[in-house]
Amino acid sequence: IQLTQSPSTVSASVGDRVTITCRASQSISDLLAWYQQKPGKVPKLLIFKASSLESGVPSRFSGSGSGTDFTLTISSLQPDDFATYYCQHQSFGQGTKVDMK
Amino acid sequence: QVQLQESGPRLVKPSQTLSLTCTVSGASIRAGGFYWTWLRQRPGEGLEWIGCIFNSGTTDYNPSLKSRVTISPDTSNNRFSLELKFVTAADTAVYYCASESGAYLGLDSWGQGRLVTVSS
């Protein structure tokens, strides 16, 4: 199963609402996770089962979707959120870099 | 809380076998339900799932690497290992071990990663 993320890069400002999409090549029910990775750091689990927030992750992060189409939303971008985000079923999407506008 | 730590050579010669070990604390690798996973990240690239072991010995591998990969348990020492045969420069990467508490529930515990360079 292949995962395709879009966009590859999103340029945004603090306070913006950011949305990243992930499309699966076939239905994966709700079996999708989202990760955040900063340069030189270990990836961090944000969301599992498409919409369940991992313990300790700020509530500005949310996930939605099922089947083949999924979304990660950051409701109000904070300085700590500039990073690369990956979706994963078993394989990973190619990543979406959130950088400063 | 599960903690993981990778160990093994940092430099491997082309055509040889890359061998890494992941030592686990905070959980038993014999415990049902956990998926013990290897991943890698080539310099400047995204994450690549290599494979996993679960139920004390059942394995699942990335089809693109399956012919070269073996993941095996060492239950006596609560570790699991990765072997990748016939390496080339394209296998130079940071290798991570990680775990999830059930199939497709998300990798919630990670090792710190180990950069392995393939070079003569």
Side-chain angles (χ1 to χ4, degrees):
Chain A
I1 296 174
Q2 293 186 323
L3 300 178
T4 303
Q5 286 183 235
S6 61
S8 297
T9 304
V10 58
S11 297
S13 301
V14 172
D16 285 353
R17 183 181 182 88
V18 172
T19 299
I20 299 167
T21 64
C22 179
R23 175 162 288 176
S25 58
Q26 63 189 73
S27 178
I28 56 172
S29 184
D30 65 349
L31 301 177
L32 188 90
W34 289 96
Y35 301 83
Q36 177 193 68
Q37 188 180 31
K38 298 179 181 178
K41 301 296 186 182
V42 176
K44 175 185 176 182
L45 177 65
L46 300 175
I47 302 283
F48 62 98
K49 291 198 74 178
S51 61
S52 297
L53 194 67
E54 175 70 356
S55 176
V57 174
S59 59
R60 64 181 179 272
F61 291 94
S62 64
S64 64
S66 66
T68 60
D69 293 311
F70 301 87
T71 299
L72 173 71
T73 300
I74 309 172
S75 60
S76 177
L77 192 69
Q78 298 302 299
D80 192 46
D81 301 338
F82 292 102
T84 299
Y85 294 84
Y86 296 94
C87 59
Q88 186 220 7
H89 172 65
Q90 192 176 65
S91 62
F92 288 83
Q94 78 276 22
T96 295
K97 184 177 181 180
V98 177
D99 66 16
M100 198 172 298
K101 185 184 291 182
Chain B
Q1 183 178 355
V2 179
Q3 294 184 308
L4 305 103
Q5 171 102 36
E6 304 91 349
S7 60
R10 296 185 185 275
L11 181 64
V12 182
K13 292 184 184 332
S15 80
Q16 293 191 344
T17 297
L18 181 157
S19 297
L20 293 174
T21 297
C22 182
T23 301
V24 178
S25 58
S28 170
I29 67 166
R30 288 178 288 188
F34 279 89
Y35 285 65
W36 307 102
T37 302
W38 284 100
L39 310 99
R40 70 180 183 181
Q41 188 167 36
R42 295 186 181 100
E45 298 189 11
L47 296 163
E48 182 178 22
W49 183 86
I50 297 172
C52 66
I53 188 166
F54 55 100
N55 291 341
S56 296
T58 304
T59 54
D60 191 11
Y61 298 129
N62 185 327
S64 70
L65 296 169
K66 188 173 184 177
S67 63
R68 298 194 291 134
V69 170
T70 303
I71 296 175
S72 55
D74 176 0
T75 54
S76 298
N77 294 294
N78 210 38
R79 308 184 304 193
F80 62 105
S81 64
L82 168 71
E83 287 195 341
L84 180 65
K85 297 183 291 188
F86 311 122
V87 297
T88 70
D91 295 308
T92 293
V94 175
Y95 287 77
Y96 294 100
C97 58
S99 69
E100 57 187 329
S101 57
Y104 304 110
L105 290 184
L107 296 159
D108 56 358
S109 298
W110 293 68
Q112 82 277 17
R114 193 162 187 86
L115 174 61
V116 180
T117 301
V118 178
S119 175
S120 55

PDB file of all heavy atoms in Angstrom, chain B residues 54-86:
ATOM      1  N   PHE B  54       6.921  -9.973  15.766  1.00  0.00           N
ATOM      2  CA  PHE B  54       5.874  -9.970  16.781  1.00  0.00           C
ATOM      3  C   PHE B  54       5.527 -11.411  17.123  1.00  0.00           C
ATOM      4  O   PHE B  54       6.001 -12.353  16.463  1.00  0.00           O
ATOM      5  CB  PHE B  54       4.641  -9.191  16.299  1.00  0.00           C
ATOM      6  CG  PHE B  54       4.077  -9.670  14.981  1.00  0.00           C
ATOM      7  CD1 PHE B  54       2.975 -10.505  14.936  1.00  0.00           C
ATOM      8  CD2 PHE B  54       4.645  -9.273  13.778  1.00  0.00           C
ATOM      9  CE1 PHE B  54       2.450 -10.940  13.735  1.00  0.00           C
ATOM     10  CE2 PHE B  54       4.130  -9.706  12.556  1.00  0.00           C
ATOM     11  CZ  PHE B  54       3.037 -10.539  12.538  1.00  0.00           C
ATOM     12  N   ASN B  55       4.745 -11.578  18.189  1.00  0.00           N
ATOM     13  CA  ASN B  55       4.395 -12.924  18.663  1.00  0.00           C
ATOM     14  C   ASN B  55       5.629 -13.806  18.819  1.00  0.00           C
ATOM     15  O   ASN B  55       5.607 -14.986  18.469  1.00  0.00           O
ATOM     16  CB  ASN B  55       3.387 -13.591  17.725  1.00  0.00           C
ATOM     17  CG  ASN B  55       2.022 -12.943  17.773  1.00  0.00           C
ATOM     18  OD1 ASN B  55       1.700 -12.232  18.724  1.00  0.00           O
ATOM     19  ND2 ASN B  55       1.229 -13.163  16.748  1.00  0.00           N
ATOM     20  N   SER B  56       6.721 -13.220  19.317  1.00  0.00           N
ATOM     21  CA  SER B  56       7.965 -13.931  19.642  1.00  0.00           C
ATOM     22  C   SER B  56       8.673 -14.565  18.454  1.00  0.00           C
ATOM     23  O   SER B  56       9.606 -15.342  18.645  1.00  0.00           O
ATOM     24  CB  SER B  56       7.708 -15.015  20.701  1.00  0.00           C
ATOM     25  OG  SER B  56       7.290 -14.436  21.904  1.00  0.00           O
ATOM     26  N   GLY B  57       8.266 -14.229  17.243  1.00  0.00           N
ATOM     27  CA  GLY B  57       9.018 -14.796  16.138  1.00  0.00           C
ATOM     28  C   GLY B  57       8.413 -14.618  14.761  1.00  0.00           C
ATOM     29  O   GLY B  57       9.090 -14.861  13.763  1.00  0.00           O
ATOM     30  N   THR B  58       7.184 -14.161  14.693  1.00  0.00           N
ATOM     31  CA  THR B  58       6.576 -13.910  13.383  1.00  0.00           C
ATOM     32  C   THR B  58       7.144 -12.614  12.815  1.00  0.00           C
ATOM     33  O   THR B  58       7.268 -11.628  13.533  1.00  0.00           O
ATOM     34  CB  THR B  58       5.055 -13.798  13.506  1.00  0.00           C
ATOM     35  OG1 THR B  58       4.533 -14.972  14.127  1.00  0.00           O
ATOM     36  CG2 THR B  58       4.416 -13.616  12.131  1.00  0.00           C
ATOM     37  N   THR B  59       7.526 -12.649  11.546  1.00  0.00           N
ATOM     38  CA  THR B  59       8.136 -11.479  10.933  1.00  0.00           C
ATOM     39  C   THR B  59       7.337 -10.993   9.727  1.00  0.00           C
ATOM     40  O   THR B  59       6.588 -11.758   9.106  1.00  0.00           O
ATOM     41  CB  THR B  59       9.577 -11.775  10.477  1.00  0.00           C
ATOM     42  OG1 THR B  59       9.567 -12.930   9.632  1.00  0.00           O
ATOM     43  CG2 THR B  59      10.490 -12.003  11.658  1.00  0.00           C
ATOM     44  N   ASP B  60       7.521  -9.714   9.430  1.00  0.00           N
ATOM     45  CA  ASP B  60       6.917  -9.096   8.259  1.00  0.00           C
ATOM     46  C   ASP B  60       7.943  -8.119   7.720  1.00  0.00           C
ATOM     47  O   ASP B  60       8.508  -7.334   8.503  1.00  0.00           O
ATOM     48  CB  ASP B  60       5.614  -8.384   8.652  1.00  0.00           C
ATOM     49  CG  ASP B  60       4.800  -7.947   7.451  1.00  0.00           C
ATOM     50  OD1 ASP B  60       5.112  -8.364   6.313  1.00  0.00           O
ATOM     51  OD2 ASP B  60       3.831  -7.180   7.644  1.00  0.00           O
ATOM     52  N   TYR B  61       8.201  -8.149   6.411  1.00  0.00           N
ATOM     53  CA  TYR B  61       9.265  -7.352   5.835  1.00  0.00           C
ATOM     54  C   TYR B  61       8.758  -6.475   4.697  1.00  0.00           C
ATOM     55  O   TYR B  61       7.801  -6.824   3.991  1.00  0.00           O
ATOM     56  CB  TYR B  61      10.375  -8.252   5.284  1.00  0.00           C
ATOM     57  CG  TYR B  61      11.063  -9.130   6.321  1.00  0.00           C
ATOM     58  CD1 TYR B  61      11.218 -10.501   6.113  1.00  0.00           C
ATOM     59  CD2 TYR B  61      11.562  -8.582   7.500  1.00  0.00           C
ATOM     60  CE1 TYR B  61      11.850 -11.307   7.047  1.00  0.00           C
ATOM     61  CE2 TYR B  61      12.200  -9.376   8.441  1.00  0.00           C
ATOM     62  CZ  TYR B  61      12.339 -10.736   8.215  1.00  0.00           C
ATOM     63  OH  TYR B  61      12.966 -11.534   9.142  1.00  0.00           O
ATOM     64  N   ASN B  62       9.439  -5.347   4.513  1.00  0.00           N
ATOM     65  CA  ASN B  62       9.216  -4.505   3.345  1.00  0.00           C
ATOM     66  C   ASN B  62       9.544  -5.330   2.088  1.00  0.00           C
ATOM     67  O   ASN B  62      10.651  -5.853   1.977  1.00  0.00           O
ATOM     68  CB  ASN B  62      10.124  -3.269   3.443  1.00  0.00           C
ATOM     69  CG  ASN B  62       9.894  -2.268   2.344  1.00  0.00           C
ATOM     70  OD1 ASN B  62       9.565  -2.613   1.213  1.00  0.00           O
ATOM     71  ND2 ASN B  62      10.088  -1.003   2.682  1.00  0.00           N
ATOM     72  N   PRO B  63       8.610  -5.440   1.173  1.00  0.00           N
ATOM     73  CA  PRO B  63       8.867  -6.267  -0.022  1.00  0.00           C
ATOM     74  C   PRO B  63      10.126  -5.862  -0.779  1.00  0.00           C
ATOM     75  O   PRO B  63      10.801  -6.714  -1.364  1.00  0.00           O
ATOM     76  CB  PRO B  63       7.610  -6.057  -0.871  1.00  0.00           C
ATOM     77  CG  PRO B  63       6.549  -5.701   0.111  1.00  0.00           C
ATOM     78  CD  PRO B  63       7.232  -4.912   1.187  1.00  0.00           C
ATOM     79  N   SER B  64      10.453  -4.570  -0.750  1.00  0.00           N
ATOM     80  CA  SER B  64      11.620  -4.105  -1.507  1.00  0.00           C
ATOM     81  C   SER B  64      12.941  -4.531  -0.870  1.00  0.00           C
ATOM     82  O   SER B  64      13.995  -4.467  -1.514  1.00  0.00           O
ATOM     83  CB  SER B  64      11.586  -2.584  -1.639  1.00  0.00           C
ATOM     84  OG  SER B  64      11.830  -1.966  -0.386  1.00  0.00           O
ATOM     85  N   LEU B  65      12.903  -4.956   0.385  1.00  0.00           N
ATOM     86  CA  LEU B  65      14.120  -5.361   1.100  1.00  0.00           C
ATOM     87  C   LEU B  65      14.088  -6.823   1.524  1.00  0.00           C
ATOM     88  O   LEU B  65      15.093  -7.348   2.014  1.00  0.00           O
ATOM     89  CB  LEU B  65      14.302  -4.491   2.355  1.00  0.00           C
ATOM     90  CG  LEU B  65      14.535  -3.007   2.117  1.00  0.00           C
ATOM     91  CD1 LEU B  65      14.423  -2.238   3.444  1.00  0.00           C
ATOM     92  CD2 LEU B  65      15.901  -2.765   1.483  1.00  0.00           C
ATOM     93  N   LYS B  66      12.968  -7.477   1.308  1.00  0.00           N
ATOM     94  CA  LYS B  66      12.717  -8.801   1.874  1.00  0.00           C
ATOM     95  C   LYS B  66      13.811  -9.822   1.572  1.00  0.00           C
ATOM     96  O   LYS B  66      14.155 -10.646   2.414  1.00  0.00           O
ATOM     97  CB  LYS B  66      11.368  -9.325   1.379  1.00  0.00           C
ATOM     98  CG  LYS B  66      10.907 -10.591   2.040  1.00  0.00           C
ATOM     99  CD  LYS B  66       9.493 -10.938   1.616  1.00  0.00           C
ATOM    100  CE  LYS B  66       8.988 -12.162   2.373  1.00  0.00           C
ATOM    101  NZ  LYS B  66       7.575 -12.469   2.031  1.00  0.00           N
ATOM    102  N   SER B  67      14.383  -9.753   0.372  1.00  0.00           N
ATOM    103  CA  SER B  67      15.375 -10.759  -0.021  1.00  0.00           C
ATOM    104  C   SER B  67      16.688 -10.606   0.736  1.00  0.00           C
ATOM    105  O   SER B  67      17.518 -11.523   0.755  1.00  0.00           O
ATOM    106  CB  SER B  67      15.640 -10.672  -1.529  1.00  0.00           C
ATOM    107  OG  SER B  67      16.204  -9.409  -1.854  1.00  0.00           O
ATOM    108  N   ARG B  68      16.880  -9.449   1.391  1.00  0.00           N
ATOM    109  CA  ARG B  68      18.161  -9.192   2.054  1.00  0.00           C
ATOM    110  C   ARG B  68      18.053  -9.052   3.576  1.00  0.00           C
ATOM    111  O   ARG B  68      19.072  -8.934   4.246  1.00  0.00           O
ATOM    112  CB  ARG B  68      18.796  -7.905   1.507  1.00  0.00           C
ATOM    113  CG  ARG B  68      19.118  -7.933   0.030  1.00  0.00           C
ATOM    114  CD  ARG B  68      20.041  -6.780  -0.341  1.00  0.00           C
ATOM    115  NE  ARG B  68      19.412  -5.474  -0.248  1.00  0.00           N
ATOM    116  CZ  ARG B  68      19.962  -4.406   0.337  1.00  0.00           C
ATOM    117  NH1 ARG B  68      21.144  -4.498   0.914  1.00  0.00           N
ATOM    118  NH2 ARG B  68      19.336  -3.240   0.329  1.00  0.00           N
ATOM    119  N   VAL B  69      16.829  -9.045   4.107  1.00  0.00           N
ATOM    120  CA  VAL B  69      16.618  -8.688   5.509  1.00  0.00           C
ATOM    121  C   VAL B  69      16.235  -9.897   6.356  1.00  0.00           C
ATOM    122  O   VAL B  69      15.441 -10.743   5.927  1.00  0.00           O
ATOM    123  CB  VAL B  69      15.505  -7.623   5.622  1.00  0.00           C
ATOM    124  CG1 VAL B  69      15.104  -7.411   7.082  1.00  0.00           C
ATOM    125  CG2 VAL B  69      15.976  -6.315   5.026  1.00  0.00           C
ATOM    126  N   THR B  70      16.788  -9.939   7.583  1.00  0.00           N
ATOM    127  CA  THR B  70      16.325 -10.870   8.608  1.00  0.00           C
ATOM    128  C   THR B  70      16.203 -10.115   9.924  1.00  0.00           C
ATOM    129  O   THR B  70      17.143  -9.423  10.333  1.00  0.00           O
ATOM    130  CB  THR B  70      17.292 -12.040   8.801  1.00  0.00           C
ATOM    131  OG1 THR B  70      17.482 -12.724   7.560  1.00  0.00           O
ATOM    132  CG2 THR B  70      16.754 -13.020   9.833  1.00  0.00           C
ATOM    133  N   ILE B  71      15.054 -10.229  10.564  1.00  0.00           N
ATOM    134  CA  ILE B  71      14.841  -9.700  11.920  1.00  0.00           C
ATOM    135  C   ILE B  71      14.602 -10.894  12.818  1.00  0.00           C
ATOM    136  O   ILE B  71      13.770 -11.761  12.502  1.00  0.00           O
ATOM    137  CB  ILE B  71      13.659  -8.715  11.963  1.00  0.00           C
ATOM    138  CG1 ILE B  71      13.961  -7.484  11.095  1.00  0.00           C
ATOM    139  CG2 ILE B  71      13.382  -8.288  13.402  1.00  0.00           C
ATOM    140  CD1 ILE B  71      12.793  -6.504  10.981  1.00  0.00           C
ATOM    141  N   SER B  72      15.327 -10.941  13.926  1.00  0.00           N
ATOM    142  CA  SER B  72      15.209 -12.111  14.794  1.00  0.00           C
ATOM    143  C   SER B  72      15.217 -11.698  16.255  1.00  0.00           C
ATOM    144  O   SER B  72      15.793 -10.664  16.617  1.00  0.00           O
ATOM    145  CB  SER B  72      16.328 -13.104  14.506  1.00  0.00           C
ATOM    146  OG  SER B  72      17.579 -12.492  14.612  1.00  0.00           O
ATOM    147  N   PRO B  73      14.613 -12.504  17.108  1.00  0.00           N
ATOM    148  CA  PRO B  73      14.551 -12.191  18.534  1.00  0.00           C
ATOM    149  C   PRO B  73      15.699 -12.827  19.302  1.00  0.00           C
ATOM    150  O   PRO B  73      16.224 -13.870  18.910  1.00  0.00           O
ATOM    151  CB  PRO B  73      13.217 -12.822  18.955  1.00  0.00           C
ATOM    152  CG  PRO B  73      13.105 -14.036  18.078  1.00  0.00           C
ATOM    153  CD  PRO B  73      13.775 -13.679  16.774  1.00  0.00           C
ATOM    154  N   ASP B  74      16.072 -12.181  20.402  1.00  0.00           N
ATOM    155  CA  ASP B  74      16.995 -12.747  21.390  1.00  0.00           C
ATOM    156  C   ASP B  74      16.277 -12.607  22.725  1.00  0.00           C
ATOM    157  O   ASP B  74      16.487 -11.646  23.469  1.00  0.00           O
ATOM    158  CB  ASP B  74      18.317 -11.984  21.357  1.00  0.00           C
ATOM    159  CG  ASP B  74      19.288 -12.447  22.423  1.00  0.00           C
ATOM    160  OD1 ASP B  74      18.944 -13.360  23.188  1.00  0.00           O
ATOM    161  OD2 ASP B  74      20.390 -11.873  22.503  1.00  0.00           O
ATOM    162  N   THR B  75      15.404 -13.542  23.005  1.00  0.00           N
ATOM    163  CA  THR B  75      14.536 -13.408  24.179  1.00  0.00           C
ATOM    164  C   THR B  75      15.325 -13.498  25.482  1.00  0.00           C
ATOM    165  O   THR B  75      14.940 -12.900  26.484  1.00  0.00           O
ATOM    166  CB  THR B  75      13.437 -14.477  24.150  1.00  0.00           C
ATOM    167  OG1 THR B  75      14.029 -15.770  24.019  1.00  0.00           O
ATOM    168  CG2 THR B  75      12.481 -14.230  22.986  1.00  0.00           C
ATOM    169  N   SER B  76      16.451 -14.199  25.469  1.00  0.00           N
ATOM    170  CA  SER B  76      17.247 -14.317  26.691  1.00  0.00           C
ATOM    171  C   SER B  76      17.755 -12.969  27.162  1.00  0.00           C
ATOM    172  O   SER B  76      17.928 -12.739  28.367  1.00  0.00           O
ATOM    173  CB  SER B  76      18.436 -15.255  26.459  1.00  0.00           C
ATOM    174  OG  SER B  76      17.995 -16.545  26.127  1.00  0.00           O
ATOM    175  N   ASN B  77      18.053 -12.100  26.212  1.00  0.00           N
ATOM    176  CA  ASN B  77      18.596 -10.779  26.541  1.00  0.00           C
ATOM    177  C   ASN B  77      17.614  -9.643  26.266  1.00  0.00           C
ATOM    178  O   ASN B  77      17.992  -8.479  26.331  1.00  0.00           O
ATOM    179  CB  ASN B  77      19.883 -10.549  25.746  1.00  0.00           C
ATOM    180  CG  ASN B  77      20.994 -11.488  26.166  1.00  0.00           C
ATOM    181  OD1 ASN B  77      21.470 -11.406  27.301  1.00  0.00           O
ATOM    182  ND2 ASN B  77      21.382 -12.400  25.276  1.00  0.00           N
ATOM    183  N   ASN B  78      16.386  -9.998  25.956  1.00  0.00           N
ATOM    184  CA  ASN B  78      15.326  -9.014  25.656  1.00  0.00           C
ATOM    185  C   ASN B  78      15.789  -8.041  24.574  1.00  0.00           C
ATOM    186  O   ASN B  78      15.734  -6.812  24.748  1.00  0.00           O
ATOM    187  CB  ASN B  78      14.887  -8.259  26.916  1.00  0.00           C
ATOM    188  CG  ASN B  78      13.440  -7.840  26.838  1.00  0.00           C
ATOM    189  OD1 ASN B  78      12.582  -8.577  26.330  1.00  0.00           O
ATOM    190  ND2 ASN B  78      13.135  -6.662  27.337  1.00  0.00           N
ATOM    191  N   ARG B  79      16.251  -8.608  23.474  1.00  0.00           N
ATOM    192  CA  ARG B  79      16.722  -7.816  22.340  1.00  0.00           C
ATOM    193  C   ARG B  79      16.158  -8.392  21.059  1.00  0.00           C
ATOM    194  O   ARG B  79      15.713  -9.547  21.008  1.00  0.00           O
ATOM    195  CB  ARG B  79      18.258  -7.861  22.242  1.00  0.00           C
ATOM    196  CG  ARG B  79      18.982  -7.507  23.493  1.00  0.00           C
ATOM    197  CD  ARG B  79      20.493  -7.464  23.316  1.00  0.00           C
ATOM    198  NE  ARG B  79      21.073  -8.706  22.804  1.00  0.00           N
ATOM    199  CZ  ARG B  79      22.385  -8.946  22.811  1.00  0.00           C
ATOM    200  NH1 ARG B  79      23.210  -8.032  23.276  1.00  0.00           N
ATOM    201  NH2 ARG B  79      22.841 -10.084  22.333  1.00  0.00           N
ATOM    202  N   PHE B  80      16.187  -7.586  20.025  1.00  0.00           N
ATOM    203  CA  PHE B  80      15.908  -8.105  18.692  1.00  0.00           C
ATOM    204  C   PHE B  80      16.911  -7.475  17.727  1.00  0.00           C
ATOM    205  O   PHE B  80      17.471  -6.415  17.993  1.00  0.00           O
ATOM    206  CB  PHE B  80      14.448  -7.873  18.262  1.00  0.00           C
ATOM    207  CG  PHE B  80      14.016  -6.435  18.152  1.00  0.00           C
ATOM    208  CD1 PHE B  80      13.859  -5.833  16.912  1.00  0.00           C
ATOM    209  CD2 PHE B  80      13.704  -5.690  19.287  1.00  0.00           C
ATOM    210  CE1 PHE B  80      13.429  -4.522  16.798  1.00  0.00           C
ATOM    211  CE2 PHE B  80      13.286  -4.374  19.190  1.00  0.00           C
ATOM    212  CZ  PHE B  80      13.154  -3.793  17.937  1.00  0.00           C
ATOM    213  N   SER B  81      17.168  -8.171  16.645  1.00  0.00           N
ATOM    214  CA  SER B  81      18.264  -7.761  15.784  1.00  0.00           C
ATOM    215  C   SER B  81      17.828  -7.615  14.339  1.00  0.00           C
ATOM    216  O   SER B  81      16.789  -8.130  13.919  1.00  0.00           O
ATOM    217  CB  SER B  81      19.406  -8.769  15.875  1.00  0.00           C
ATOM    218  OG  SER B  81      18.973 -10.025  15.380  1.00  0.00           O
ATOM    219  N   LEU B  82      18.654  -6.894  13.600  1.00  0.00           N
ATOM    220  CA  LEU B  82      18.454  -6.673  12.171  1.00  0.00           C
ATOM    221  C   LEU B  82      19.707  -7.132  11.448  1.00  0.00           C
ATOM    222  O   LEU B  82      20.825  -6.789  11.843  1.00  0.00           O
ATOM    223  CB  LEU B  82      18.227  -5.182  11.897  1.00  0.00           C
ATOM    224  CG  LEU B  82      18.284  -4.741  10.440  1.00  0.00           C
ATOM    225  CD1 LEU B  82      17.070  -5.256   9.679  1.00  0.00           C
ATOM    226  CD2 LEU B  82      18.381  -3.220  10.324  1.00  0.00           C
ATOM    227  N   GLU B  83      19.540  -7.910  10.401  1.00  0.00           N
ATOM    228  CA  GLU B  83      20.631  -8.217   9.476  1.00  0.00           C
ATOM    229  C   GLU B  83      20.206  -7.814   8.076  1.00  0.00           C
ATOM    230  O   GLU B  83      19.111  -8.181   7.620  1.00  0.00           O
ATOM    231  CB  GLU B  83      20.983  -9.707   9.502  1.00  0.00           C
ATOM    232  CG  GLU B  83      21.710 -10.144  10.764  1.00  0.00           C
ATOM    233  CD  GLU B  83      22.351 -11.515  10.600  1.00  0.00           C
ATOM    234  OE1 GLU B  83      21.931 -12.258   9.686  1.00  0.00           O
ATOM    235  OE2 GLU B  83      23.260 -11.849  11.381  1.00  0.00           O
ATOM    236  N   LEU B  84      21.064  -7.076   7.403  1.00  0.00           N
ATOM    237  CA  LEU B  84      20.818  -6.649   6.030  1.00  0.00           C
ATOM    238  C   LEU B  84      22.037  -7.064   5.214  1.00  0.00           C
ATOM    239  O   LEU B  84      23.151  -6.583   5.456  1.00  0.00           O
ATOM    240  CB  LEU B  84      20.606  -5.134   5.959  1.00  0.00           C
ATOM    241  CG  LEU B  84      20.335  -4.543   4.574  1.00  0.00           C
ATOM    242  CD1 LEU B  84      19.005  -5.057   4.025  1.00  0.00           C
ATOM    243  CD2 LEU B  84      20.329  -3.012   4.633  1.00  0.00           C
ATOM    244  N   LYS B  85      21.808  -7.974   4.287  1.00  0.00           N
ATOM    245  CA  LYS B  85      22.932  -8.565   3.531  1.00  0.00           C
ATOM    246  C   LYS B  85      23.264  -7.760   2.278  1.00  0.00           C
ATOM    247  O   LYS B  85      22.446  -6.989   1.786  1.00  0.00           O
ATOM    248  CB  LYS B  85      22.562 -10.002   3.139  1.00  0.00           C
ATOM    249  CG  LYS B  85      22.348 -10.934   4.308  1.00  0.00           C
ATOM    250  CD  LYS B  85      22.055 -12.360   3.850  1.00  0.00           C
ATOM    251  CE  LYS B  85      20.706 -12.471   3.172  1.00  0.00           C
ATOM    252  NZ  LYS B  85      20.347 -13.878   2.903  1.00  0.00           N
ATOM    253  N   PHE B  86      24.459  -7.992   1.779  1.00  0.00           N
ATOM    254  CA  PHE B  86      24.892  -7.450   0.483  1.00  0.00           C
ATOM    255  C   PHE B  86      24.658  -5.946   0.403  1.00  0.00           C
ATOM    256  O   PHE B  86      24.032  -5.457  -0.553  1.00  0.00           O
ATOM    257  CB  PHE B  86      24.164  -8.174  -0.657  1.00  0.00           C
ATOM    258  CG  PHE B  86      24.189  -9.673  -0.559  1.00  0.00           C
ATOM    259  CD1 PHE B  86      23.011 -10.410  -0.501  1.00  0.00           C
ATOM    260  CD2 PHE B  86      25.392 -10.357  -0.493  1.00  0.00           C
ATOM    261  CE1 PHE B  86      23.035 -11.794  -0.403  1.00  0.00           C
ATOM    262  CE2 PHE B  86      25.424 -11.744  -0.385  1.00  0.00           C
ATOM    263  CZ  PHE B  86      24.232 -12.454  -0.337  1.00  0.00           C
TER     264      PHE B  86
END
